[in-house]
Amino acid sequence: MYAKNLEKLLHDMLAAHTRFNETQKRFEKLRGSALLPRGRENAAKRLSDMQIASAVLGFAPVSPDWAGHASLVLGSLCPVGGPAASFKGTKNLQEMIAMLLSDDENCKSLAALTLTIQRDFGDEDYCARAVFTDIGGQKIVSYVSKMANSLLSAGAEGKYDHEKMTAISARQLTLGQSFFMRLRRDVELSRHLNRPLKTDWTEYKNEEER
C-alpha cells in the first residue's frame, strides 16, 4: 500500500468527521518526522507494516500538527513487564501493531487498543493499553515510556494497575478488532494487486514550496 492510499483509508475510518486537508496535514507531519517516505521520488514506495503502524499512531492527537511527535512517542512505548509480557515478544507499541497487521489470527486476538494522551498542568504523558483474548482468557498489556525502568523488568505487570490514571485529564483513541481486520485486508489486497501509484502530487506542494 502506498502512503497516498493509506491516507484516504485512515481518513475514512478515523477522521471522516473532519476535513480531508487535516488528514493530509497529519501525513505531512509524519513524513517530516521520517516516519513515512519523504519527497516525490519516494512516493511510489510501498509501506512496510512498521510504517503503517506509525501512520495509525499519528491519529491519536486531536491536532494534526502533533501527528509526527505523537507517533514517535507512542511507537516507542514499551510493555510493562518487558517483551515477555507483551504480545508475541514485541519490544514496543509500534512493533506490536505491525505484528497485528502481519496475520489474521493476530488481529482476531486483539479486543481493543487504547492510545492515551494524559495532561497534567501543561505536561503531557503518553501511554497505551491493549486487551487480548484467547482460549486462556483475557490478557492486558500496558505500554509506558522507555524511561520507566522499574516497570520494564520481568514480572512488573503483575503489580501494575492497568486501570489507574493519575493525570487531571486525558484524551483517548480506542481502536477495535474490526479496525485492524479492515486495515489488514486492504493492505493485503493492495499488495496483491500491485497497481501503480496514481496521484496528482498535490500532497507534496506545500512541503516543496517550503
Side-chain angles (χ1 to χ4, degrees), residues 21-55:
N21 64 358
E22 292 186 17
T23 294
Q24 291 178 310
K25 186 65 173 292
R26 289 185 191 275
F27 271 68
E28 179 184 328
K29 294 299 180 180
L30 289 165
R31 290 193 294 270
S33 297
L35 294 170
L36 295 177
R38 304 176 70 174
R40 295 192 185 203
E41 66 276 13
N42 293 313
K45 287 188 175 180
R46 292 194 174 274
L47 301 180
S48 66
D49 288 342
M50 291 286 278
Q51 290 172 320
I52 294 171
S54 291

Side-chain angles (χ1 to χ4, degrees), residues 4 6 18 25 33 42 46 54 68 71 73 80 86 88 93 96-98 124 131 140 157 162 187 209:
K4 180 68 175 177
L6 182 64
T18 67
K25 186 65 173 292
S33 297
N42 293 313
R46 292 194 174 274
S54 291
S71 182
V73 177
V80 174
S86 184
K88 296 197 171 182
L93 184 57
M96 189 277 284
I97 294 176
E124 287 190 340
V131 180
I140 298 177
E157 73 279 7
H162 297 277
V187 169
E209 285 178 348

